[in-house]
Amino acid sequence: MDAVIPLIKGAIILSIAFKLCTTYKSLDYMLYGYVIGAAYLGYYISQVGRNSGDRVEGIGMVDSPDANGVAAALAPAAITCLFYFWRNTSLKLKFPFVIAGAFIVNALALINSRGAMLGVAVGGAYFMWRLFFAPVQRKYQKMTVIFIALAGLSSLVYVMDQSTIERIYSISQESKVDESRETGATRMVFWSAAWDMAKDHPLGLGRGGFEINAPLYIPSYVDTGRSRNRAVHSSWFEALSEAGYLGFIVFIMIIFTSFTMLRRSKAELAAPEFLDDYFKVVCIESMLISYLVAMTFLNRMRSEIFLWCILFIACAYNIYYLRKLHLTQKQ
């Protein structure tokens, strides 16, 4: 019931939000709200500071009580700031997104979540790549992309410290499982255990099923840290172990359908007069990619931000493809 009740609430709230988002400006307002919330959370994290070694701990949201989940929730917002910084031509309109982006990226550096860092890197790189090689471009667009890339790298030099650099470097160092101690690679043992669970329970074990049964499937000689009742640390294997093969297929189909809707929306906007809207859809696509990368290393299958990404995609699909409101917005 702890999983069912939030699911019902989320379905109601997302349905209302979808019905209220009827214009391209409404979609902008929703994205603005997300950025404002993420910037405030980033400001709050900057005030807390690192309180557990080289990381921030003890912060969270309603559906994410740990810092890693917060970092994953902030990752797509950094991509959103990047888009609005590019879209707005006035420095006065660019400035708020510079400030918001600074708080968000600083919070990510303080939390030191490798999954969220990878998410921002992959999502941001995809967005910049689409900007640079777009078939239809704004004047000086490629120069603008190069400037943004250089400015972003310069800001990272300022924000990132030695502990953040070491944390990123540890991704490659911990690629091999060490059975004598818990490392990032230990998660691969958890993922293997999830496959074994699915074989024994093809319909899934339900919410929290992996944590309860983990000691039965994780080899006793593998050091899992303070507890053997560990989370699987991957939304893909969370879906497999908790919802079974059928739930895993549905989870994959939700993501596949989302990218299909994005592709159709972009095809509808492939004209010079719809350039800003085209890249808004690319931004939403990059946000989803960013979060998918982050949630690959976290249990975020039911997270609100994942549902928000689906909501943004559904709204864009409804506005630009089904209702084709972009055809009248330029009149």
Side-chain angles (χ1 to χ4, degrees), residues 254-327:
I254 290 172
I255 296 171
F256 174 79
T257 304
S258 297
F259 281 109
T260 300
M261 290 193 293
L262 287 165
R263 177 175 53 81
R264 291 176 178 174
S265 300
K266 288 186 294 183
E268 194 68 35
L269 296 167
E273 61 268 28
F274 306 132
L275 187 65
D276 289 352
D277 295 296
Y278 175 87
F279 280 109
K280 187 193 299 182
V281 176
V282 172
C283 169
I284 295 172
E285 183 180 26
S286 303
M287 291 167 62
L288 178 61
I289 292 173
S290 174
Y291 200 71
L292 287 177
V293 172
M295 66 191 285
T296 297
F297 307 98
L298 296 170
N299 284 29
R300 298 278 77 206
M301 179 181 71
R302 301 177 183 84
S303 67
E304 289 190 10
I305 302 301
F306 175 62
L307 297 178
W308 287 8
C309 288
I310 303 300
L311 171 65
F312 298 151
I313 293 168
C315 291
Y317 182 72
N318 181 48
I319 293 168
Y320 296 121
Y321 183 79
L322 295 180
R323 303 177 66 183
K324 294 180 171 52
L325 295 182
H326 61 286
L327 296 177

Coordinates of all heavy atoms in Angstrom, one line a residue, residues 254-327:
I254 N 7.1 2.0 -21.9 CA 6.8 3.4 -21.5 C 7.9 4.3 -22.1 O 7.7 5.3 -22.7 CB 6.7 3.5 -20.0 CG1 5.4 2.9 -19.5 CG2 6.7 5.0 -19.6 CD1 5.3 2.8 -18.0
I255 N 9.1 3.8 -21.9 CA 10.3 4.6 -22.3 C 10.4 4.6 -23.9 O 10.6 5.7 -24.5 CB 11.6 4.1 -21.7 CG1 11.6 4.2 -20.2 CG2 12.8 4.7 -22.3 CD1 12.7 3.5 -19.5
F256 N 10.1 3.5 -24.5 CA 10.1 3.4 -26.0 C 9.1 4.3 -26.6 O 9.3 5.1 -27.5 CB 9.9 2.0 -26.4 CG 9.8 1.8 -27.9 CD1 10.9 1.8 -28.7 CD2 8.5 1.7 -28.5 CE1 10.8 1.7 -30.1 CE2 8.4 1.5 -29.9 CZ 9.5 1.5 -30.7
T257 N 7.9 4.3 -26.0 CA 6.8 5.1 -26.5 C 7.1 6.6 -26.3 O 6.8 7.5 -27.1 CB 5.5 4.8 -25.7 OG1 5.2 3.4 -25.9 CG2 4.3 5.6 -26.3
S258 N 7.8 6.9 -25.2 CA 8.2 8.3 -25.0 C 9.1 8.8 -26.1 O 8.9 10.0 -26.6 CB 8.8 8.5 -23.6 OG 8.0 8.1 -22.6
F259 N 10.1 8.0 -26.4 CA 11.0 8.5 -27.5 C 10.3 8.5 -28.8 O 10.6 9.3 -29.7 CB 12.2 7.5 -27.6 CG 13.2 7.8 -26.5 CD1 13.4 7.0 -25.4 CD2 14.0 9.0 -26.6 CE1 14.4 7.2 -24.5 CE2 15.0 9.3 -25.6 CZ 15.1 8.4 -24.6
T260 N 9.3 7.6 -29.0 CA 8.5 7.7 -30.3 C 7.7 9.0 -30.4 O 7.7 9.7 -31.4 CB 7.5 6.5 -30.3 OG1 8.3 5.3 -30.3 CG2 6.7 6.6 -31.6
M261 N 7.1 9.4 -29.2 CA 6.4 10.7 -29.2 C 7.3 11.9 -29.4 O 6.9 12.8 -30.1 CB 5.6 10.8 -27.9 CG 4.4 9.8 -27.7 SD 3.3 10.2 -26.4 CE 4.4 9.9 -25.0
L262 N 8.5 11.8 -28.9 CA 9.4 12.9 -29.1 C 9.8 13.0 -30.6 O 10.0 14.0 -31.1 CB 10.7 12.6 -28.2 CG 10.5 12.9 -26.7 CD1 11.7 12.2 -25.9 CD2 10.4 14.4 -26.4
R263 N 10.1 11.8 -31.2 CA 10.5 11.8 -32.6 C 9.4 12.4 -33.5 O 9.7 13.2 -34.4 CB 10.8 10.4 -33.0 CG 11.1 10.2 -34.5 CD 11.6 8.8 -34.8 NE 10.6 7.8 -34.3 CZ 9.5 7.5 -35.0 NH1 9.2 8.1 -36.1 NH2 8.6 6.6 -34.5
R264 N 8.1 12.0 -33.2 CA 7.0 12.6 -34.0 C 6.9 14.1 -33.8 O 6.6 14.8 -34.8 CB 5.7 11.9 -33.6 CG 5.7 10.4 -34.1 CD 4.4 9.7 -33.6 NE 4.4 8.3 -34.1 CZ 3.4 7.5 -33.7 NH1 2.5 7.9 -32.8 NH2 3.4 6.2 -34.1
S265 N 7.1 14.5 -32.6 CA 6.9 16.0 -32.3 C 8.0 16.7 -33.0 O 7.8 17.8 -33.6 CB 7.0 16.2 -30.8 OG 6.0 15.5 -30.1
K266 N 9.3 16.2 -33.0 CA 10.4 16.9 -33.7 C 10.1 17.0 -35.2 O 10.4 18.0 -35.8 CB 11.7 16.2 -33.3 CG 12.2 16.4 -31.9 CD 13.6 15.8 -31.7 CE 13.5 14.3 -31.8 NZ 14.9 13.7 -31.5
A267 N 9.6 15.9 -35.7 CA 9.3 15.9 -37.2 C 8.3 16.9 -37.5 O 8.4 17.5 -38.6 CB 8.9 14.5 -37.6
E268 N 7.4 17.2 -36.6 CA 6.3 18.2 -36.9 C 6.9 19.6 -36.8 O 6.3 20.5 -37.4 CB 5.2 18.0 -35.9 CG 3.9 18.7 -36.2 CD 3.2 18.2 -37.4 OE1 3.2 16.9 -37.6 OE2 2.6 19.0 -38.1
L269 N 8.0 19.8 -36.1 CA 8.6 21.1 -35.9 C 9.8 21.4 -36.7 O 10.5 22.3 -36.5 CB 8.9 21.2 -34.4 CG 7.7 21.2 -33.4 CD1 8.2 21.0 -32.0 CD2 6.9 22.4 -33.6
A270 N 10.1 20.5 -37.7 CA 11.3 20.6 -38.5 C 11.2 21.7 -39.6 O 11.1 21.4 -40.8 CB 11.7 19.3 -39.1
A271 N 11.0 22.9 -39.1 CA 11.0 24.1 -40.0 C 11.6 25.3 -39.4 O 11.6 25.4 -38.1 CB 9.5 24.4 -40.4
P272 N 12.2 26.2 -40.1 CA 12.9 27.3 -39.5 C 12.0 28.2 -38.6 O 12.5 28.6 -37.5 CB 13.3 28.2 -40.7 CG 13.4 27.2 -41.8 CD 12.3 26.2 -41.6
E273 N 10.8 28.3 -38.9 CA 9.9 29.2 -38.0 C 9.5 28.5 -36.7 O 9.0 29.2 -35.8 CB 8.6 29.6 -38.8 CG 7.8 28.4 -39.2 CD 8.1 27.9 -40.6 OE1 9.2 28.0 -41.0 OE2 7.2 27.3 -41.2
F274 N 9.8 27.2 -36.5 CA 9.5 26.5 -35.3 C 10.8 26.1 -34.6 O 10.8 25.2 -33.8 CB 8.6 25.3 -35.6 CG 7.4 25.6 -36.3 CD1 7.1 24.8 -37.4 CD2 6.6 26.6 -36.0 CE1 5.9 25.0 -38.2 CE2 5.4 26.9 -36.7 CZ 5.1 26.1 -37.8
L275 N 11.9 26.8 -34.8 CA 13.2 26.4 -34.3 C 13.2 26.3 -32.8 O 13.7 25.3 -32.2 CB 14.2 27.4 -34.8 CG 15.7 27.0 -34.5 CD1 16.1 25.7 -35.2 CD2 16.6 28.1 -34.8
D276 N 12.7 27.3 -32.1 CA 12.7 27.3 -30.6 C 11.9 26.2 -30.1 O 12.3 25.5 -29.1 CB 12.1 28.7 -30.1 CG 13.1 29.8 -30.3 OD1 14.2 29.6 -30.8 OD2 12.7 31.0 -30.1
D277 N 10.7 25.9 -30.7 CA 9.9 24.8 -30.2 C 10.5 23.4 -30.5 O 10.4 22.5 -29.7 CB 8.5 24.9 -30.8 CG 7.7 26.1 -30.4 OD1 7.4 26.2 -29.2 OD2 7.5 27.0 -31.3
Y278 N 11.2 23.4 -31.6 CA 11.9 22.1 -31.9 C 13.0 21.8 -30.9 O 13.0 20.7 -30.4 CB 12.6 22.3 -33.3 CG 13.5 21.1 -33.7 CD1 12.9 20.0 -34.4 CD2 14.8 21.1 -33.4 CE1 13.7 18.9 -34.7 CE2 15.6 20.0 -33.8 CZ 15.0 18.9 -34.5 OH 15.8 17.9 -34.8
F279 N 13.7 22.8 -30.5 CA 14.8 22.5 -29.5 C 14.2 22.4 -28.1 O 14.9 21.9 -27.2 CB 15.9 23.6 -29.6 CG 16.8 23.3 -30.7 CD1 16.8 24.1 -31.8 CD2 17.7 22.3 -30.7 CE1 17.7 23.9 -32.9 CE2 18.6 22.0 -31.7 CZ 18.6 22.8 -32.8
K280 N 13.0 22.9 -27.8 CA 12.4 22.7 -26.6 C 12.1 21.2 -26.4 O 12.3 20.6 -25.4 CB 11.1 23.5 -26.4 CG 10.4 23.4 -25.1 CD 9.0 23.9 -25.0 CE 8.9 25.3 -25.4 NZ 7.5 25.9 -25.4
V281 N 11.6 20.6 -27.5 CA 11.4 19.1 -27.5 C 12.7 18.4 -27.4 O 12.8 17.4 -26.7 CB 10.6 18.7 -28.8 CG1 10.5 17.2 -28.8 CG2 9.3 19.4 -28.9
V282 N 13.8 18.8 -28.0 CA 15.1 18.2 -27.9 C 15.6 18.4 -26.4 O 16.2 17.4 -25.9 CB 16.1 18.9 -28.8 CG1 17.5 18.4 -28.5 CG2 15.7 18.6 -30.3
C283 N 15.3 19.5 -25.8 CA 15.6 19.7 -24.4 C 14.9 18.7 -23.5 O 15.5 18.0 -22.7 CB 15.2 21.1 -24.0 SG 15.3 21.4 -22.2
I284 N 13.6 18.5 -23.7 CA 12.9 17.5 -23.0 C 13.4 16.1 -23.2 O 13.5 15.3 -22.3 CB 11.4 17.6 -23.3 CG1 10.8 18.9 -22.9 CG2 10.6 16.4 -22.7 CD1 9.4 19.2 -23.4
E285 N 13.8 15.8 -24.4 CA 14.4 14.5 -24.8 C 15.7 14.3 -24.0 O 16.0 13.3 -23.4 CB 14.6 14.4 -26.3 CG 15.2 13.1 -26.7 CD 15.4 13.1 -28.2 OE1 15.6 14.2 -28.8 OE2 15.4 12.0 -28.8
S286 N 16.5 15.4 -24.0 CA 17.8 15.3 -23.3 C 17.6 15.2 -21.7 O 18.4 14.5 -21.1 CB 18.6 16.6 -23.5 OG 18.8 16.8 -24.9
M287 N 16.5 15.8 -21.2 CA 16.2 15.6 -19.8 C 15.9 14.2 -19.5 O 16.4 13.6 -18.5 CB 15.0 16.5 -19.5 CG 15.3 18.0 -19.5 SD 13.8 19.0 -19.4 CE 13.1 18.5 -17.8
L288 N 15.1 13.5 -20.4 CA 14.8 12.1 -20.1 C 16.0 11.3 -20.2 O 16.2 10.4 -19.4 CB 13.7 11.7 -21.2 CG 13.3 10.2 -21.1 CD1 12.7 9.9 -19.8 CD2 12.4 9.8 -22.2
I289 N 16.9 11.5 -21.2 CA 18.1 10.8 -21.3 C 19.0 11.0 -20.1 O 19.5 10.0 -19.5 CB 18.9 11.2 -22.6 CG1 18.1 10.8 -23.8 CG2 20.3 10.6 -22.6 CD1 18.7 11.3 -25.1
S290 N 19.1 12.2 -19.6 CA 19.9 12.5 -18.4 C 19.3 11.7 -17.2 O 20.1 11.1 -16.5 CB 19.8 14.0 -18.1 OG 20.5 14.3 -16.9
Y291 N 18.0 11.7 -17.0 CA 17.5 11.0 -15.9 C 17.6 9.5 -16.0 O 17.8 8.8 -15.0 CB 16.0 11.4 -15.7 CG 15.5 11.1 -14.3 CD1 16.0 11.9 -13.2 CD2 14.7 10.1 -14.0 CE1 15.6 11.6 -11.9 CE2 14.2 9.8 -12.7 CZ 14.7 10.6 -11.7 OH 14.4 10.3 -10.4
L292 N 17.4 9.0 -17.2 CA 17.6 7.5 -17.5 C 19.0 7.1 -17.1 O 19.1 6.0 -16.5 CB 17.2 7.2 -18.9 CG 15.8 7.2 -19.3 CD1 15.6 6.9 -20.8 CD2 14.9 6.3 -18.5
V293 N 20.0 7.9 -17.4 CA 21.3 7.5 -17.1 C 21.5 7.5 -15.6 O 22.1 6.5 -15.0 CB 22.3 8.5 -17.7 CG1 23.8 8.2 -17.2 CG2 22.3 8.3 -19.2
A294 N 21.0 8.5 -14.9 CA 21.1 8.6 -13.4 C 20.4 7.5 -12.7 O 20.9 6.9 -11.8 CB 20.6 10.0 -12.9
M295 N 19.1 7.2 -13.2 CA 18.3 6.1 -12.6 C 18.8 4.7 -12.9 O 18.3 3.8 -12.3 CB 16.9 6.3 -12.9 CG 16.5 6.0 -14.4 SD 14.8 6.6 -14.8 CE 13.9 5.3 -14.0
T296 N 19.8 4.6 -13.8 CA 20.4 3.3 -14.1 C 21.1 2.8 -12.8 O 21.3 1.6 -12.6 CB 21.3 3.4 -15.3 OG1 20.6 3.7 -16.4 CG2 22.1 2.1 -15.5
F297 N 21.6 3.7 -12.0 CA 22.3 3.4 -10.8 C 21.6 3.6 -9.5 O 22.2 3.6 -8.4 CB 23.6 4.2 -10.8 CG 24.4 4.1 -12.1 CD1 24.3 5.0 -13.0 CD2 25.2 3.0 -12.3 CE1 25.0 4.9 -14.2 CE2 25.9 2.9 -13.5 CZ 25.8 3.8 -14.5
L298 N 20.3 3.9 -9.6 CA 19.4 4.2 -8.4 C 18.1 3.5 -8.6 O 17.6 3.3 -9.7 CB 19.3 5.7 -8.2 CG 20.5 6.5 -7.9 CD1 20.1 8.0 -8.1 CD2 21.0 6.2 -6.6
N299 N 17.4 3.3 -7.5 CA 16.0 2.8 -7.5 C 15.1 4.0 -7.7 O 14.6 4.6 -6.7 CB 15.7 2.1 -6.2 CG 16.3 0.7 -6.2 OD1 17.3 0.4 -6.8 ND2 15.6 -0.2 -5.5
R300 N 14.8 4.4 -8.9 CA 14.0 5.5 -9.2 C 12.8 5.2 -10.1 O 12.3 6.1 -10.8 CB 14.9 6.7 -9.8 CG 16.0 7.2 -8.9 CD 15.5 8.2 -7.9 NE 14.8 7.5 -6.8 CZ 13.8 8.1 -6.1 NH1 13.4 9.4 -6.3 NH2 13.3 7.5 -5.1
M301 N 12.4 4.0 -10.2 CA 11.4 3.6 -11.1 C 10.1 4.3 -10.9 O 9.3 4.7 -11.8 CB 11.1 2.1 -11.0 CG 10.0 1.5 -11.9 SD 9.8 -0.2 -11.8 CE 9.0 -0.3 -10.1
R302 N 9.8 4.6 -9.6 CA 8.5 5.3 -9.2 C 8.7 6.8 -8.9 O 7.8 7.4 -8.4 CB 7.9 4.6 -8.0 CG 7.6 3.1 -8.2 CD 7.0 2.5 -6.9 NE 6.8 1.1 -7.1 CZ 7.7 0.2 -6.9 NH1 8.9 0.5 -6.6 NH2 7.4 -1.1 -7.1
S303 N 9.9 7.3 -9.2 CA 10.2 8.7 -8.8 C 9.3 9.7 -9.5 O 8.9 9.5 -10.6 CB 11.7 9.0 -9.0 OG 11.9 9.0 -10.4
E304 N 9.1 10.8 -8.8 CA 8.2 11.9 -9.4 C 8.9 12.5 -10.6 O 8.2 12.9 -11.5 CB 7.9 12.9 -8.3 CG 7.0 12.4 -7.2 CD 6.5 13.6 -6.3 OE1 6.8 14.7 -6.6 OE2 5.9 13.3 -5.3
I305 N 10.2 12.7 -10.5 CA 10.9 13.4 -11.6 C 10.8 12.5 -12.9 O 10.7 13.0 -14.0 CB 12.4 13.6 -11.3 CG1 12.4 14.5 -10.0 CG2 13.1 14.4 -12.4 CD1 11.7 15.8 -10.1
F306 N 10.9 11.2 -12.8 CA 10.7 10.3 -13.9 C 9.3 10.5 -14.5 O 9.1 10.6 -15.7 CB 10.9 8.9 -13.5 CG 10.7 7.9 -14.6 CD1 11.4 7.9 -15.8 CD2 9.7 6.9 -14.5 CE1 11.2 7.0 -16.8 CE2 9.4 6.0 -15.5 CZ 10.2 6.1 -16.7
L307 N 8.3 10.6 -13.6 CA 6.9 10.8 -14.1 C 6.8 12.2 -14.7 O 6.0 12.4 -15.7 CB 6.0 10.6 -12.9 CG 5.9 9.2 -12.3 CD1 4.9 9.2 -11.1 CD2 5.5 8.2 -13.4
W308 N 7.5 13.2 -14.1 CA 7.5 14.5 -14.7 C 8.0 14.5 -16.1 O 7.5 15.2 -17.0 CB 8.2 15.5 -13.8 CG 7.6 15.8 -12.5 CD1 6.5 15.3 -12.0 CD2 8.0 16.8 -11.6 NE1 6.2 15.8 -10.8 CE2 7.1 16.8 -10.5 CE3 9.1 17.7 -11.6 CZ2 7.2 17.6 -9.4 CZ3 9.2 18.5 -10.5 CH2 8.3 18.5 -9.4
C309 N 9.1 13.8 -16.4 CA 9.7 13.7 -17.7 C 8.7 13.2 -18.7 O 8.5 13.7 -19.8 CB 11.0 12.9 -17.7 SG 12.4 13.7 -16.9
I310 N 8.0 12.1 -18.3 CA 6.9 11.5 -19.1 C 5.8 12.5 -19.3 O 5.2 12.7 -20.4 CB 6.4 10.3 -18.4 CG1 7.5 9.2 -18.2 CG2 5.3 9.6 -19.3 CD1 8.2 8.8 -19.4
L311 N 5.5 13.3 -18.3 CA 4.4 14.3 -18.4 C 4.8 15.4 -19.4 O 4.0 15.8 -20.2 CB 4.2 15.0 -17.0 CG 3.3 16.2 -17.0 CD1 1.9 15.9 -17.4 CD2 3.3 16.9 -15.6
F312 N 6.1 15.9 -19.3 CA 6.5 16.9 -20.3 C 6.4 16.4 -21.7 O 6.1 17.1 -22.6 CB 8.0 17.3 -19.9 CG 8.1 17.9 -18.6 CD1 9.3 17.8 -17.9 CD2 7.1 18.7 -18.0 CE1 9.5 18.4 -16.6 CE2 7.3 19.2 -16.7 CZ 8.5 19.1 -16.1
I313 N 6.8 15.1 -21.9 CA 6.8 14.5 -23.2 C 5.3 14.4 -23.7 O 5.0 14.8 -24.9 CB 7.4 13.1 -23.2 CG1 8.9 13.3 -22.9 CG2 7.2 12.4 -24.5 CD1 9.6 12.0 -22.6
A314 N 4.4 14.0 -22.8 CA 3.0 13.9 -23.2 C 2.4 15.2 -23.6 O 1.7 15.3 -24.6 CB 2.2 13.2 -22.1
C315 N 2.8 16.2 -22.8 CA 2.3 17.6 -23.1 C 2.8 18.1 -24.5 O 2.0 18.7 -25.3 CB 2.6 18.5 -22.0 SG 1.8 18.2 -20.4
A316 N 4.1 17.9 -24.7 CA 4.7 18.4 -26.0 C 4.0 17.6 -27.1 O 3.7 18.2 -28.2 CB 6.2 18.1 -25.9
Y317 N 3.8 16.3 -27.0 CA 3.2 15.5 -28.0 C 1.8 16.0 -28.3 O 1.4 16.1 -29.5 CB 3.2 14.1 -27.6 CG 2.6 13.1 -28.6 CD1 3.4 12.8 -29.7 CD2 1.4 12.5 -28.4 CE1 2.9 11.8 -30.7 CE2 0.9 11.5 -29.3 CZ 1.6 11.2 -30.4 OH 1.1 10.3 -31.3
N318 N 1.1 16.3 -27.2 CA -0.3 16.8 -27.4 C -0.4 18.1 -28.1 O -1.2 18.4 -29.0 CB -1.0 16.8 -26.0 CG -2.5 17.3 -26.1 OD1 -3.2 16.8 -26.9 ND2 -2.8 18.2 -25.3
I319 N 0.5 19.0 -27.7 CA 0.5 20.4 -28.2 C 1.0 20.5 -29.6 O 0.4 21.1 -30.5 CB 1.4 21.3 -27.3 CG1 0.7 21.5 -25.9 CG2 1.6 22.7 -27.9 CD1 1.6 22.1 -24.9
Y320 N 2.2 19.8 -29.9 CA 2.8 20.0 -31.2 C 2.4 19.0 -32.2 O 2.5 19.3 -33.4 CB 4.3 20.0 -31.0 CG 4.9 21.1 -30.1 CD1 5.5 20.9 -29.0 CD2 4.6 22.4 -30.5 CE1 6.0 21.9 -28.2 CE2 5.1 23.5 -29.8 CZ 5.8 23.2 -28.6 OH 6.3 24.3 -27.8
Y321 N 2.0 17.8 -31.8 CA 1.7 16.7 -32.8 C 0.2 16.5 -33.0 O -0.3 16.5 -34.1 CB 2.4 15.4 -32.4 CG 2.2 14.3 -33.4 CD1 3.0 14.3 -34.6 CD2 1.3 13.3 -33.2 CE1 2.8 13.3 -35.6 CE2 1.1 12.3 -34.1 CZ 1.8 12.3 -35.3 OH 1.6 11.3 -36.2
L322 N -0.5 16.2 -31.8 CA -1.9 15.9 -31.9 C -2.7 17.1 -32.2 O -3.5 17.1 -33.2 CB -2.4 15.3 -30.6 CG -1.7 13.9 -30.2 CD1 -2.3 13.4 -28.9 CD2 -2.0 12.9 -31.4
R323 N -2.5 18.2 -31.5 CA -3.3 19.4 -31.7 C -2.7 20.4 -32.7 O -3.4 21.3 -33.1 CB -3.6 20.1 -30.3 CG -4.3 19.1 -29.3 CD -4.4 19.8 -28.0 NE -5.4 20.9 -28.1 CZ -5.7 21.7 -27.0 NH1 -5.1 21.5 -25.9 NH2 -6.6 22.7 -27.2
K324 N -1.4 20.3 -32.9 CA -0.7 21.1 -33.9 C -0.9 22.6 -33.6 O -1.1 23.4 -34.5 CB -1.1 20.8 -35.3 CG -0.7 19.4 -35.7 CD -1.1 19.0 -37.1 CE -0.5 17.7 -37.6 NZ -0.7 16.6 -36.8
L325 N -0.8 23.0 -32.3 CA -1.0 24.4 -32.0 C 0.1 25.3 -32.5 O 0.0 26.5 -32.5 CB -1.1 24.5 -30.4 CG -2.4 23.8 -29.8 CD1 -2.4 24.1 -28.3 CD2 -3.6 24.4 -30.5
H326 N 1.3 24.7 -32.8 CA 2.4 25.5 -33.3 C 2.1 26.1 -34.6 O 2.7 27.1 -35.0 CB 3.7 24.6 -33.4 CG 3.5 23.5 -34.4 ND1 2.8 22.3 -34.1 CD2 4.0 23.3 -35.6 CE1 2.8 21.5 -35.1 NE2 3.5 22.0 -36.1
L327 N 1.1 25.6 -35.3 CA 0.8 26.1 -36.6 C 0.1 27.4 -36.5 O 0.1 28.2 -37.5 CB -0.1 25.1 -37.4 CG 0.5 23.8 -37.7 CD1 -0.5 22.8 -38.4 CD2 1.8 23.9 -38.6

